[in-house]
Amino acid sequence: MSDIAIVVILVWFWCFDLPADAPQRRLIAYLQKPFLYLGLWHGWAMFAPEPLHVNRRLKAIIQYADGSIDEWRPIEPLQTNWFIDLLWFRHFKFQFSILTGSHKVLWSPLCQWLVRQAKLDGLQVVSIQLIREYQTVNAPTAAQPLKEWQSSVMHEEKFV
Amino acid sequence: MHWSQFTDAWFGFFHAPESCAPQVLFRLMFGSLMLLNAVLLFPLVTDMFGSHAMWNIAAWQRQQGRTRMSLLHLLPPTTGGFRILLVIHVLACVGFLIGWQFRVSAVVVFVTLVSVHHRNTFILSSGDTVLRLMSFLAMFSSAGEAFSADAAVAGTTEFPAVDPWPLRLMQILISIIYVRTVWWKLRGKMWWNGTAAWYPVWVDTYLRHRPPRWMLRPFFIRMATWGTLLAELSLGTLIWIHELRPYIVLSGIVMHLVFEVVMNLQLFGWIMIAGLLLFLPPESTSRSLEWLAAWV
């Protein structure tokens, strides 16, 4: 019995991380429901195929009913305190997920969270803009390691 | 190769009894990391997991439904419900670490960890994936057979020989991680042209300490890029050659410690070091643990 389990687990470990169009990956597609249910999904494309080469930051522009405008930023790495950066690592990861663009499902709940935070301070939000700021890292041969920061609006939500 | 030769090799590799010492050492380091990981989640409960979190419970339920295992489906959908889950997880991690009711503790660790991970997948990294897969395999292991509360109750002071198949799967998983990460990297041109190591030191998300500028010259960047590929490939392949194993494990530990200095990868490096300890010879591992027991 344990040998069958060994073979099934080995096949899963070896095949699941392959690209979606690989034959071995298509083969295990029939098996994947229980494995995904159990949380045995995985991917080892760490800093691959290319390492991340863009700095990304999130900013929210919040407009209140009284006409005032506020700016909110999530917790960002300090790079001066090992423990604090370890503690808030998941905040950085969450910000990263919001900014990649492939998780648009996060944008509206984040706006709702900002509205709630404002409400706790007795403020009524009229609109929120989520802004992506980004800065490309130049190739090692360039005169400067980093390009200028740029920004773009990625989501806007109104609350009437 | 005859079928009987294959089955002999298979049984020899997966089932020939072997001292449980490497699994015990792994339990101590991995259990400590699991506990630290759990404690680090407490300050995040309200913002990341609570009913009104940035990724709130209603949005999570809409997105995931019941397609993923989570004890949270059985608990009140509130911040308090998540805190209960986390407390159970911490207690199970303590049980896992000290080897008290090890099998039960390991099952609870896995189920609660997966429940936490499924609640908010957007904050997870590769270290979390390794934790999840290793805690799955740990449920079947004999890591609680010695140097544990269970062993103390049973009056066992030796490291019994056990069926090592869960240990072998853990070792193979560690090996696959290194081989597959190299495979993915070789699909990118920055790893081929030797510039890949340049970029992470300028990206704020991961940076801890930027090396001095003289170390960022093209020669050193190329050495770091190709050296990483070579080290990872060795860790995935040459680690299976017994004569080379101590040197390969040592090179892996050094590589992860260097990454720790330069980058903030949360607990990934330490978790991989715990995984590399599974490759240490059982005899020297049991001697080290006995020395540790005498010292404690």
Side-chain angles (χ1 to χ4, degrees):
Chain A
M1 181 60 196
S2 65
D3 289 317
I4 297 169
I6 290 169
V7 172
V8 172
I9 292 169
L10 283 178
V11 169
W12 177 257
F13 283 166
W14 183 253
C15 297
F16 182 72
D17 180 39
L18 290 167
D21 58 348
Q24 301 97 311
R25 178 69 194 275
R26 287 211 297 270
L27 187 75
I28 61 159
Y30 302 104
L31 286 173
Q32 73 181 21
K33 250 189 177 170
F35 282 91
L36 294 180
Y37 181 80
L38 288 172
L40 300 179
W41 35 275
H42 54 276
W44 308 119
M46 296 170 281
F47 298 92
E50 307 287 9
L52 183 64
H53 49 283
V54 182
N55 278 309
R56 297 191 185 102
R57 286 178 190 167
L58 174 67
K59 181 169 81 172
I61 302 292
I62 307 168
Q63 190 174 0
Y64 299 109
D66 63 7
S68 61
I69 290 174
D70 203 359
E71 183 184 302
W72 172 86
R73 284 178 185 275
I75 296 169
E76 283 169 4
L78 290 174
Q79 289 153 6
T80 51
N81 188 314
W82 177 86
F83 182 72
I84 295 290
D85 279 355
L86 183 72
L87 191 64
W88 297 132
F89 179 83
R90 293 182 192 284
H91 272 277
F92 315 151
K93 194 75 194 174
F94 190 70
Q95 181 184 187
F96 184 81
S97 294
I98 291 170
L99 290 167
T100 53
S102 52
H103 301 305
K104 291 178 182 172
V105 69
L106 293 172
W107 295 350
S108 199
L110 176 64
C111 290
Q112 289 164 22
W113 182 81
L114 288 168
V115 168
R116 190 178 155 78
Q117 299 300 309
K119 204 179 263 180
L120 292 174
D121 293 335
L123 295 163
Q124 194 189 344
V125 175
V126 176
S127 73
I128 295 178
Q129 270 189 341
L130 296 182
I131 294 169
R132 177 194 289 119
E133 296 179 328
Y134 56 96
Q135 179 191 44
T136 308
V137 181
N138 285 323
T141 47
Q144 293 298 322
L146 298 163
K147 286 192 166 63
E148 291 295 311
W149 282 96
Q150 294 179 286
S151 65
S152 65
V153 177
M154 56 180 199
H155 181 66
E156 188 162 9
E157 208 157 314
K158 294 197 185 301
F159 305 88
V160 190
Chain B
M1 190 186 209
H2 289 292
W3 176 250
S4 61
Q5 284 175 305
F6 171 76
T7 52
D8 285 351
W10 175 278
F11 280 98
F13 181 71
F14 281 109
H15 299 297
E18 188 180 291
S19 163
C20 65
Q23 297 182 55
V24 172
L25 180 62
F26 174 75
R27 188 197 85 222
L28 295 173
M29 185 162 177
F30 187 74
S32 306
L33 292 167
M34 288 285 295
L35 188 58
L36 174 61
N37 178 66
V39 170
L40 288 172
L41 289 172
F42 274 99
L44 306 176
V45 170
T46 312
D47 286 346
M48 293 295 162
F49 301 103
S51 46
H52 300 292
M54 294 184 196
W55 176 236
N56 60 59
I57 284 182
W60 166 64
Q61 287 172 333
R62 267 198 310 279
Q63 187 229 18
Q64 208 174 79
R66 292 196 175 222
T67 58
R68 300 285 186 270
M69 179 174 77
S70 178
L71 289 177
L72 287 169
H73 297 310
L74 308 173
L75 290 166
T78 59
T79 309
F82 187 84
R83 283 209 175 93
I84 291 170
L85 175 73
L86 203 49
V87 169
I88 296 170
H89 180 60
V90 167
L91 293 175
C93 287
V94 173
F96 184 101
L97 175 62
I98 64 171
W100 181 72
Q101 295 292 318
F102 176 74
R103 193 79 62 196
V104 176
S105 296
V107 170
V108 178
V109 162
F110 173 70
V111 173
T112 49
L113 181 71
V114 170
S115 302
V116 170
H117 283 187
H118 279 161
R119 169 62 186 88
N120 192 342
T121 54
F122 303 106
I123 58 172
L124 304 180
S125 59
S126 300
D128 295 302
T129 310
V130 186
L131 278 186
R132 216 169 44 245
L133 298 183
M134 281 298 196
S135 61
F136 171 74
L137 295 174
M139 292 193 298
F140 308 100
S141 77
S142 305
E145 295 285 318
F147 216 72
S148 64
D150 289 345
V153 169
T156 311
T157 52
E158 303 279 294
F159 291 96
V162 294
D163 185 341
W165 71 266
L167 167 72
R168 297 286 178 253
L169 283 180
M170 288 180 184
Q171 290 174 326
I172 291 171
L173 174 62
I174 293 293
S175 180
I176 287 175
I177 293 171
Y178 287 116
V179 170
R180 197 40 71 70
T181 192
V182 172
W183 185 85
W184 277 109
K185 283 172 176 142
L186 292 177
R187 292 165 76 94
K189 68 173 194 290
M190 290 176 186
W191 290 97
W192 284 102
N193 69 20
T195 61
W198 163 261
Y199 296 93
V201 300
W202 296 99
V203 174
D204 297 343
T205 311
Y206 295 113
L207 184 65
R208 183 170 277 153
H209 295 296
R210 186 172 295 128
R213 276 314 282 263
W214 65 267
M215 285 182 79
L216 298 177
R217 288 181 189 150
F219 172 78
F220 292 107
I221 291 294
R222 277 197 291 274
M223 289 301 104
T225 303
W226 295 331
T228 300
L229 287 175
L230 195 64
E232 289 180 335
L233 189 62
S234 307
L235 284 160
T237 53
L238 300 182
I239 202 164
W240 294 103
I241 300 171
H242 283 274
E243 294 76 15
L244 297 178
R245 192 171 275 185
Y247 308 105
I248 299 293
V249 169
L250 189 64
S251 73
I253 292 172
V254 170
M255 181 186 80
H256 286 295
L257 291 178
V258 170
F259 287 167
E260 270 299 301
V261 172
V262 178
M263 288 186 287
N264 177 15
L265 301 174
Q266 222 236 5
L267 299 177
F268 176 75
W270 299 104
I271 296 165
M272 292 307 288
I273 289 173
L276 290 173
L277 297 182
L278 290 164
F279 288 89
L280 295 179
E283 308 76 39
S284 53
T285 308
S286 53
R287 273 201 305 276
S288 308
L289 285 170
E290 278 158 9
W291 174 83
L292 182 69
W295 185 71
V296 170

